[in-house]
Amino acid sequence: MITRRPLPSVAGMDTEEAAATATDTSPPASSRGFFGCVIALIAFFTLIALGAHAITEFEKGLDGDGQLEQPGLSGSVSQPLGPGTTARYEDGLRVTVSHPERHDDGTYSATVTFKNDTDEGLRLGDEEFSDTLDVEPGESGQDYAPGEDVNWLNPDEAAAVLLPPLPEGEERTVPVRLKPDRKGAPVTLEVTPPHPGYRETAYFQLTLG
């Protein structure tokens, strides 16, 4: 007598095929471990970047908001800015010096524009802040420039323009008139806007001619 084994049911076959398919499509343990390491590394470096940013902001807070903050040349005495550029301070103040313009009488004119994007008014012309704007002959940081004397022709006019308070969100342009002893003489404009704590001086080096 021949005994036949019962045929597997359709439901049983479907279950076995589904289990086999699930087993085939499951990623191997090594792949899961690799992706887990990648995610952990991304999270680690993200935390490092956030920590570095927090430290930078903390250091800025210690320094105060009167520091210069800009890409490229810093605007310091050793890295003066050129004509047509802007010095940017952390508190939002912007100072721009124009290109000098030559006149027929041998004099030159330029402008210094203060844009107040801080959260308060500025008193640029107070007597205690008399060094808000200064003009020095020669290159930035040069103690003595023989044969390169430059006369500042309108310091009183500039002081009068600086005198009224500069409201928040407004700007003011100060004229500067210069007469060099020779064409091509360098001159440095030193700008130190007032600040209740400390304000860095921005240096702008121009060539007259």
Side-chain angles (χ1 to χ4, degrees):
M1 178 178 179
I2 299 175
T3 304
R4 297 180 180 275
R5 298 175 60 185
L7 295 174
S9 65
V10 175
M13 293 177 63
D14 291 343
T15 303
E16 292 175 359
E17 290 177 358
T21 303
T23 302
D24 293 341
T25 57
S26 299
S30 59
S31 297
R32 291 197 300 270
F34 172 76
F35 288 118
C37 290
V38 170
I39 293 173
L41 285 173
I42 292 174
F44 175 72
F45 286 113
T46 300
L47 288 175
I48 290 179
L50 291 174
H53 178 72
I55 291 174
T56 300
E57 293 300 317
F58 177 72
E59 290 176 346
K60 288 180 181 178
L62 292 178
D63 292 338
D65 54 9
Q67 306 291 318
L68 287 166
E69 182 183 44
Q70 58 197 66
L73 296 175
S74 66
S76 65
V77 65
S78 60
Q79 294 185 343
L81 301 173
T85 57
T86 299
R88 295 171 170 82
Y89 289 91
E90 290 181 10
D91 62 355
L93 177 63
R94 304 288 183 262
V95 181
T96 303
V97 173
S98 70
H99 289 268
E101 180 182 353
R102 188 179 188 278
H103 302 284
D104 293 338
D105 59 358
T107 63
Y108 292 79
S109 62
T111 58
V112 181
T113 300
F114 298 83
K115 183 173 177 54
N116 184 9
D117 284 338
T118 69
D119 56 2
E120 60 184 1
L122 295 177
R123 301 170 66 181
L124 301 174
D126 280 2
E127 186 176 350
E128 59 181 310
F129 301 124
S130 58
D131 58 350
T132 296
L133 176 61
D134 198 8
V135 175
E136 294 291 341
E139 298 179 356
S140 178
Q142 187 175 3
D143 293 333
Y144 176 64
E148 295 181 350
D149 287 338
V150 176
N151 294 320
W152 185 9
L153 302 178
N154 67 328
D156 293 339
E157 179 188 7
V161 175
L162 286 170
L163 187 58
L166 179 60
E168 175 187 352
E170 296 188 11
E171 65 179 47
R172 179 168 303 152
T173 298
V174 181
V176 177
R177 294 176 54 237
L178 307 167
K179 185 174 180 59
D181 282 354
R182 65 174 180 85
K183 186 178 180 180
V187 63
T188 302
L189 272 61
E190 302 177 1
V191 184
T192 313
H195 190 275
Y198 168 74
R199 174 83 71 182
E200 272 192 284
T201 298
Y203 295 83
F204 296 84
Q205 185 172 303
L206 314 179
T207 300
L208 303 180

